[in-house]
Amino acid sequence: MMSAVNDTNFNSAVFLLTGIPGQEDVYLWISVPFCFMYVISIVGNSVILFIIKTDPSLHEPMYIFLSMLAVTDIGLSTATMSTTLGIFLFNAREISVDACLAQLFFIHSLSGIESSVLLLMAFDRFVAISNPLRYASILTLPRIAKMGLVCVLRGVAVVFPLPFLLKRSQYCQANVLSRSYCLNQEIMKMACSDIRVSSIYGLVATVSIAMLDSLLILLSYIMILKTVLSIASHAECVRALSTCISHLCAVLLFYTPGIGLSIVQRFGNSSSPLLQILMGYVYLLVPPMMNPIVYSVKSKHLRARIIMAFKK
């Protein structure tokens, strides 16, 4: 039976991260698309932040929420890529337990914040379509700032206990993680001691953020659809729905890989480990890369401002 490390050894213990098993010889080539995704994510989201900040005509609720999403995406891709590129470029697999728990905290809290921001964006579209005359008076700048602060505090507060619960556990000598970054489920698998509290709290955190937000977003769109279908003019109906396309794409990009990954992890015992690893990368790296592209393509106003800025 594997022995557990005691508290004195725990603080100096390390986990070994794993890139893509069996592909170690081509890690340098694998790093190319990952570097490309990271650069696109950082540049794309930074451009959107710069355009929104410098153009007063974009200081509207929808674009302020978009800038919140961009900041979250930059943080999420950086938190994930910090160790992923370290493995593919330098074969730096070792990570201290404290660093691993810190990365886990940032990845989960930023994912929670992103989920909350997507919910705020759904609320923004609902108000804009169902009550356009009062849109500006309902979503004032001070109110938006408070909503953004609540998103951050909620994401941080829900995830904050997780690293401390995991820190209390004892860990076995088998310290090889199956991914290139640290997640709550991964660390719990390494524990030798009773992890029921951590497991239950992890489930509560998932339900209170991801599941609740996705249900509220679905409810928002049911109400939006109800409002739109009551509009007599077909052209107005189509125009109202077209303002939601970018947000719907962002929601699908965020939730679809996450739901798929959860299903595979819980029920797909016979599924390939490689599939789980690739789905994990899609879940954490594709939304931050695609969100600025989707919004730039779908939002005519934002697209025009970006083109104008590059022409200058």
Side-chain angles (χ1 to χ4, degrees), residues 199-277:
S199 183
I200 290 167
Y201 187 81
L203 182 63
V204 169
T206 302
V207 170
S208 63
I209 293 185
M211 288 185 69
L212 179 61
D213 288 353
S214 56
L215 286 172
L216 290 173
I217 289 169
L218 179 62
L219 180 62
S220 297
Y221 272 100
I222 290 170
M223 294 166 76
I224 286 169
L225 203 57
K226 187 181 174 184
T227 304
V228 166
L229 292 174
S230 67
I231 300 171
S233 167
H234 177 71
E236 286 292 311
C237 180
V238 171
R239 193 167 71 85
L241 283 175
S242 68
T243 63
C244 301
I245 291 174
S246 300
H247 178 255
L248 271 172
C249 290
V251 168
L252 291 173
L253 280 169
F254 182 75
Y255 284 108
T256 307
I259 292 167
L261 183 60
S262 297
I263 291 169
V264 168
Q265 282 180 333
R266 291 187 184 278
F267 306 110
N269 294 326
S270 59
S271 66
S272 162
L274 181 61
L275 176 65
Q276 293 188 29
I277 290 167

Side-chain angles (χ1 to χ4, degrees), residues 63 85 117 207:
Y63 295 107
L85 289 178
V117 171
V207 170

Side-chain angles (χ1 to χ4, degrees), residues 43 69 72 93 110 117 122 143 168 175 194 204 238 244:
V43 172
L69 186 68
T72 309
R93 293 185 61 196
L110 287 166
V117 171
R143 195 166 285 165
R168 290 173 55 219
N175 60 345
D194 187 2
V204 169
V238 171
C244 301

Side-chain angles (χ1 to χ4, degrees), residues 17-34 84 87-91 93 178 272-275 277-278 281:
L17 300 167
T18 303
I20 300 177
Q23 305 298 319
E24 288 80 7
D25 293 341
V26 289
Y27 269 3
L28 199 58
W29 291 107
I30 292 172
S31 71
V32 173
F34 279 88
T84 301
I87 290 173
F88 291 139
L89 290 172
F90 310 110
N91 199 30
R93 293 185 61 196
S178 64
S272 162
L274 181 61
L275 176 65
I277 290 167
L278 293 177
Y281 286 133

Side-chain angles (χ1 to χ4, degrees), residues 10-11 15 97-109 155-171 182-185 187-188 197-198 201-202 205:
F10 176 73
N11 292 323
F15 288 124
V97 172
D98 287 336
C100 192
L101 294 176
Q103 184 185 41
L104 171 154
F105 169 76
F106 283 113
I107 288 176
H108 285 295
S109 58
V156 170
V158 171
V159 177
F160 191 71
L162 281 176
F164 295 100
L165 288 171
L166 293 170
K167 181 92 171 173
R168 290 173 55 219
S169 301
Q170 290 183 313
Y171 291 86
C182 298
L183 290 178
N184 181 48
Q185 304 93 317
I187 308 301
M188 282 197 296
V197 175
S198 298
Y201 187 81

Side-chain angles (χ1 to χ4, degrees), residues 38-60:
Y38 185 53
V39 168
I40 293 291
S41 174
I42 298 299
V43 172
N45 286 294
S46 298
V47 166
I48 282 182
L49 285 171
F50 175 76
I51 297 295
I52 291 172
K53 185 179 184 299
T54 55
D55 192 335
S57 69
L58 295 176
H59 294 175
E60 297 175 4

